Each structure stands twice: as C-alpha cells, then as structure tokens.
Amino acid sequence: MTAFSVLDLIPVREGGTLEEAFSAAASLAQAAERAGCQRFWVAEHHAMEGIAGGATSVVLAHLGNATATIRIGSGGIMLPNHTPFQIAEQFGTLAALFPGRVDLGLGRAPGAGPELQRALRKDLHRAAEMFPQDVAELRALLTGEPEPAIRATPGHGADVELWMLGSSLFGASLAARLGLPYAFASHFAPDHLDGALALYRRDFQPSAACPRPHVMVAMNLFAADTAEEAEYLASSQLQAFVRLGTGQPGKLPPPIADYRATLPPRARMMVEHIGQASAIGTPAEAARQIRAFIARTGADEVIFAGPTFDPALRERALAAAMAALADGPPLS
C-alpha cells in the first residue's frame, strides 16, 4: 500500500512573521495527521528570509509536541553543515522525546555561498566530499555498530529511521550501498528520477533496518474546487521558483491569476520543467495525476510539497486529495 506524507519548508509569506510560519507548520502537521499521512518532514535551509526551517531539530520538537502519532523528520538535514556527533545528539534527543516517531533524512548538497560557509565555520565543499564517511559514522553513533570511539548521549541506541535523500545518481548509489530507504526530490529536480530509482533498485544491498528497496518520491500538490483555482494557488510557489532561479529569492508571494501566461519563454520553460512532478487540479484530477506518478515510479511512498499563501488552503487541499485517493482503487 502506497503511503503519503508531507514536506514543509516552513514558508514565511510576504507580510507575515516567523511566529505565523511556525504556527502554520504545526497546524499543517496536525492536518496531515488527521488525513492519515505517514510522515511530516522539514527541510534545512539557511539565510533565506522566506524559509524558516534552518534550526531543523528545534522545529521538529515544536511539531512533535503539536502532534501525537505522525512521524516527524528531516527532509533533510544537510550533513556537510554539521558534524555527525551533533546530529546524533539532536536526533537522539528527539527520539527520546517522541519515541518511535523520528526520521532522519540526510542530504549532501551544502547549498551555500562563501558567506554562509564563513558563518558555519565550515569548508562545505570539502565536507560534501566526506559525506559517505560521515553518513557511516552517524549511523554507527546511533546504532553502535561498529562501536564508535565515543558515545553520543542522547543518540546511542536511539530509535531513529535513517533515510538517504537525493536528486542525482550519487545519492541513489549511496543509499543502495548502505541499505537505506531513498527519497528523491522530484518536486524541484526531476531530471534524474527514473535513472536514480533504477540504479537504487538494481544495486540495493539489504540491511537490518531496510531489508528491501524502499522509494519515496516528492510531488507538488495543489487541489481546489476548480482547476483554475488550483492553478491560482500554485502560482505562489511558481513565483518563488522563478525568483530563486533568477537570483531574487524572498518571502512567499501572494497568488496571481493566469501567472504562467505572464511569463517570458525562459521562465515558462522553468516552471513547466519543475511541473513534471506536480498534481494540480480538482481533488479527483490531482488524485489521477498522483496515481499516474506512482504507476510510473513504482514508489512505496509519495511526499507532498506545495506551499500556499493562505496556509489554511494547503490544509484543505491535502485533506481533499487524500480523500479522493482513498475513494479510488487500492494503491499497491
């Protein structure tokens, strides 16, 4: 049975505040839990005024306290920004606070310019080269196999589900070699999706934690009463993508009617490219698009991205899409 989850960047909207963004994230996590979602993940970004998930483990503690059963986790922690020991302590703490509910998704991309590297006191490009070794060290710190030279407390023996994240063949290959479940960032980087999943499944080496290949794919989800309204809701994210792609990032903007029609050809190609992994339309239309994507990828799980300027409309879209998926034939 295919599982469904939610990815949130903790968006800060134009005219909004950090306090509102964190409150909206907790409300969305509660909505995801009510809808029967498996996980609620938060992504680590830094020095971006429109994204508030930089202190990811702190945000996850906030979300854990706001929910009761849904798994909470990182989608993901960019390990080059940290030491494995620090992350073991942070997620070991979360696992003790929220037993049986904590995921640790790991990514390699430092995503940082020289200013952030100086702020983090890290050579992030060199740290990225050490990523495979750091993942192995982090797993040893959590599992005790092999026994590390120093124990992380909290951390050692913690019930944390490790995931590998990626948008390229590198992450797929490493996930397969380490026997980890694999999540592909197809919602913004769809190019290598099919090749990465094929490589992961072909080369997968079973582990105690993950005896068989397990794939999650990401989709943008915007559902509303009409297809036109869903496209209107999606325009906030599309604007954010275009601004980021043209070096003008900022807070999440309000939606614009017929936004695609206003774009020059290059920007229109950008949003169409990203839209390869999107479900936009009425709940029934969105459910059909999600089912088609599952059929294409053979995914075990789908995680939904897609911020809306009005956070309540994202909660409504999620509930409606989940209900439409439940009304259809069984997903396997």
Side-chain angles (χ1 to χ4, degrees):
M1 180 69 71
T2 307
F4 299 99
S5 299
V6 173
L7 172 65
D8 194 29
L9 303 188
I10 321 293
V12 184
R13 61 182 182 172
E14 290 182 4
T17 66
L18 288 169
E19 291 82 358
E20 291 171 347
F22 292 127
S23 177
S27 182
L28 179 60
Q30 291 167 344
E33 187 170 73
R34 290 193 300 270
C37 290
Q38 177 85 353
R39 312 170 196 278
F40 191 95
W41 282 5
V42 175
E44 175 189 352
H45 291 79
H46 296 286
M48 300 181 71
E49 64 173 342
I51 299 177
T56 310
S57 58
V58 179
V59 176
L60 292 177
H62 167 61
L63 298 175
N65 279 318
T67 54
T69 58
I70 194 169
R71 297 187 69 88
I72 55 172
S74 58
I77 288 291
M78 298 300 107
L79 195 53
N81 296 341
H82 312 274
T83 67
F85 190 83
Q86 290 170 317
I87 296 303
E89 287 184 324
Q90 291 172 19
F91 278 76
T93 299
L94 289 169
L97 291 171
F98 310 107
R101 295 177 56 197
V102 176
D103 301 330
L104 173 50
L106 299 170
R108 177 176 67 120
E115 296 83 5
L116 183 55
Q117 291 197 62
R118 284 193 290 270
L120 294 175
R121 305 293 196 271
K122 296 274 284 186
D123 181 343
L124 296 182
H125 297 290
R126 182 176 180 184
E129 295 174 356
M130 296 294 296
F131 181 69
Q133 295 94 316
D134 283 350
V135 173
E137 180 181 337
L138 175 55
R139 183 159 68 172
L141 285 164
L142 292 170
T143 66
E145 298 177 1
E147 183 68 32
I150 182 173
R151 285 192 174 189
T153 306
H156 180 82
D159 181 12
V160 174
E161 188 170 297
L162 276 179
W163 283 72
M164 182 62 60
L165 277 57
S167 58
S168 69
L169 301 183
F170 177 89
S173 178
L174 184 58
R177 176 157 55 89
L178 296 178
L180 294 176
Y182 180 55
F184 192 91
S186 36
H187 63 304
F188 74 87
D191 288 346
H192 301 290
L193 171 62
D194 299 304
L197 298 191
L199 184 153
Y200 169 69
R201 290 175 172 133
R202 184 195 70 200
D203 294 347
F204 183 81
Q205 299 179 25
S207 66
C210 189
R212 61 187 62 85
H214 189 94
V215 166
M216 176 192 285
V217 294
M219 292 190 77
N220 298 302
L221 171 63
F222 299 96
D225 291 339
T226 67
E228 292 76 17
E229 183 183 356
E231 181 68 27
Y232 177 70
L233 295 180
S235 68
S236 290
Q237 186 191 52
L238 296 180
Q239 291 176 73
F241 274 139
V242 170
R243 292 179 182 182
L244 181 62
T246 55
Q248 299 174 311
K251 294 185 177 181
L252 187 70
I256 295 175
D258 298 320
Y259 173 65
R260 293 178 197 259
T262 70
L263 293 173
R266 182 171 177 272
R268 192 176 306 173
M269 288 178 61
M270 182 188 305
V271 299
E272 293 297 333
H273 179 70
I274 292 169
Q276 294 178 60
S278 295
I280 303 175
T282 66
E285 290 167 344
R288 283 195 294 271
Q289 295 169 59
I290 294 164
R291 288 174 179 276
F293 200 60
I294 293 170
R296 170 188 162 185
T297 61
D300 302 289
E301 302 190 32
V302 178
I303 191 165
F304 297 125
T308 55
F309 188 74
D310 181 345
L313 296 182
R314 185 176 183 189
E315 294 181 24
R316 187 183 305 173
L318 176 65
M322 289 289 288
L325 286 164
D327 287 342
L331 289 156
S332 58

